[in-house]
Amino acid sequence: MAPSSSSEELILVNREPSGVAFVTINRPQLLNSLTRPMMVDLARAFKSLDADDSVRVIVITGSGRAFCSGVDLTAAEEVFKGDVKDVEIDPVVQMERCRKPIVGAIGGFAVTAGFEIALACDILVAVKGTKFIDTHARFGIFPSWGLSQKLSRIIGANRAREVSLTAMPVTAEQAERWGFVNHVVEGSELLKKAREVAEAIMKNNQDLVMRYKSVINDGLKLDLGHALALEKERAHNYYNGMTKEQFKKMQEFIAGRSSKKPSPKL
């Protein structure tokens, strides 16, 4: 299927019949730095993919030797003087609102805004030696896409403070050790591994996948007690909403799976 894209083809969207959609930041000559129109296109792409029932998993990547080097600072005033609270044109908010799992396929550099886009993904695959760098403090840019809050919740406050206040690069290998990156691969294997992750997700119940992503992500915003209560509430609503026919299909599916495997010994 031919990709659909913006007129300048700086944000490419390719929906595959399999159910995987690829979003590519496509400004390689400038290391995929983002202009305001690109941000708007990226936000609209995720909003559109979320509404598309044929799309089950989204993979976001960058063309060339960088994932995204951040905001194009030659257009900084246009970007930052705009309404940073306008969620309709905020790509990170639209990624966070997206019900479909998002796999980040990261190579080269993910700098500042690129780092924040990576943080908005649900699962990350990165090329060996890829560098994640937060340069907000270096250039006098106040974070508004979540880096000041999300990173500390993933890698710990002390590590996050050092990463952000010193602008130190974090390699993919270090990010994997810290629990930020899921898989580190050779450059030639990046999209292959991202696709493998997407295909593994698509083997499962699509409705439950979306509900599961939602309860994990929403629970992370709460303390453990309230998060467990949220899980109970949503489980109660889920099962109460199921019909007898749906329960029967569930039982038949489980029975069919069990018959193909030897019974476990107790």
Side-chain angles (χ1 to χ4, degrees), residues 25-231:
I25 304 171
N26 186 42
R27 202 186 184 203
Q29 70 279 14
L30 292 171
L31 300 178
N32 296 324
S33 59
L34 298 171
T35 63
R36 187 168 180 81
M38 289 172 69
M39 294 178 192
V40 173
D41 284 352
L42 193 57
R44 289 174 176 166
F46 275 97
K47 188 171 184 178
S48 172
L49 292 170
D50 182 50
D52 187 340
D53 291 338
S54 72
V55 173
R56 299 184 61 181
V57 181
I58 302 165
V59 176
I60 181 169
T61 193
S63 60
R65 60 191 185 93
F67 170 68
C68 174
S69 61
V71 169
D72 184 344
L73 294 181
T74 65
E77 185 172 0
E78 178 191 9
V79 171
F80 298 122
K81 283 290 188 181
D83 185 358
V84 296
K85 295 184 290 184
D86 186 347
V87 298
E88 291 301 311
I89 59 173
D90 184 325
V92 168
V93 170
Q94 293 305 321
M95 290 174 73
E96 291 169 344
R97 288 182 171 183
C98 183
R99 297 165 302 148
K100 320 292 176 61
I102 302 171
V103 180
I106 316 295
F109 299 90
V111 182
T112 312
F115 199 159
E116 291 176 303
I117 290 170
L119 280 168
C121 296
D122 299 299
I123 297 168
L124 287 179
V125 182
V127 173
K128 290 180 180 179
T130 292
K131 291 182 173 62
F132 297 87
I133 310 171
D134 180 5
T135 61
H136 282 105
R138 178 175 295 169
F139 294 112
I141 301 168
F142 202 95
S144 61
W145 283 0
L147 215 160
S148 68
Q149 303 304 310
K150 292 180 183 176
L151 188 62
S152 61
R153 286 163 168 79
I154 298 170
I155 69 172
N158 283 9
R159 287 172 176 163
R161 279 190 284 262
E162 184 175 14
V163 169
S164 295
L165 301 184
T166 68
M168 62 178 273
V170 179
T171 64
E173 291 83 354
Q174 184 65 68
E176 184 183 36
R177 289 192 290 271
W178 285 350
F180 170 43
V181 164
N182 299 76
H183 305 281
V184 178
V185 298
E186 299 290 344
S188 60
E189 298 292 306
L190 179 62
L191 292 182
K192 178 182 177 183
K193 184 63 181 180
R195 187 185 293 277
E196 284 177 4
V197 173
E199 289 173 350
I201 293 170
M202 291 193 298
K203 289 178 181 176
N204 298 314
N205 180 295
Q206 171 71 356
D207 177 59
L208 208 289
V209 163
M210 292 191 294
R211 289 175 184 268
Y212 215 147
K213 167 181 167 167
S214 176
V215 76
I216 291 172
N217 290 356
D218 291 347
L220 283 170
K221 302 168 188 174
L222 307 172
D223 62 72
L224 181 59
H226 285 97
L228 290 171
L230 176 70
E231 182 190 66

